[in-house]
Amino acid sequence: QVQLAESGGGLVQAGGSLRLSCAASGRTFSSYVVAWFRQAPGKEREFVAAISRNGGNTGYSDSVKGRNTISRDNAKNTVYLQMNSLKPEDTAVYYCAAKPSLSLTYYSNYEPYNYWGQGTQVTVSS
């Protein structure tokens, strides 16, 4: 099993940046594909970005592509989401999710992910 803990959220003005972190427990974090999802009030959970277990494959939603960068440091058991040029519509609770995987792929829908963090609030003011 793995436990996930997000951090780095906060209040930022439009155009600003934040870096979210997802810290994982466990010794086999490098065997997990990891993704970020977000959920705004009254809206469904939305895929943001994902990264394969070795960091070689990444994917982004169209809404954040070009503004966000996902990366991971398996030695530190941490995945990062660098968010730039933030917009008010990026306001949401951001969750990281993980799934053990033997492949070097990633998943952009939430069903495959077994483990979820508690979320971190990101608020972008206009």
Side-chain angles (χ1 to χ4, degrees), residues 20-43:
L20 306 183
S21 298
C22 174
S25 64
R27 294 174 294 178
T28 59
F29 184 61
S30 59
S31 299
Y32 288 76
V33 59
V34 179
W36 287 94
F37 291 82
R38 66 186 183 186
Q39 189 165 19
K43 295 188 177 181

Side-chain angles (χ1 to χ4, degrees), residues 38-61:
R38 66 186 183 186
Q39 189 165 19
K43 295 188 177 181
E44 293 188 353
R45 190 168 6 184
E46 175 189 18
F47 170 75
V48 176
I51 189 166
S52 61
R53 59 187 181 93
N54 69 346
N57 291 320
T58 58
Y60 300 90
S61 68

Side-chain angles (χ1 to χ4, degrees), residues 2-3 7-8 10 13 20-21 40 42 77 83 90 103 108-109 115 120:
V2 65
Q3 292 184 323
S7 62
Q13 288 189 333
L20 306 183
S21 298
N77 281 8
M83 303 189 297
D90 293 318
S103 71
S108 58
N109 52 344
Y115 304 100
T120 185

Side-chain angles (χ1 to χ4, degrees), residues 51-98:
I51 189 166
S52 61
R53 59 187 181 93
N54 69 346
N57 291 320
T58 58
Y60 300 90
S61 68
D62 288 341
S63 60
V64 307
K65 194 175 296 182
R67 299 189 295 122
N68 288 12
T69 302
I70 189 170
S71 60
R72 67 189 298 161
D73 185 341
N74 285 339
K76 296 183 177 179
N77 281 8
T78 303
V79 168
Y80 305 97
L81 184 68
Q82 178 67 43
M83 303 189 297
N84 299 324
S85 303
L86 283 161
K87 305 175 182 179
E89 51 263 44
D90 293 318
T91 295
V93 177
Y94 283 70
Y95 300 91
C96 66

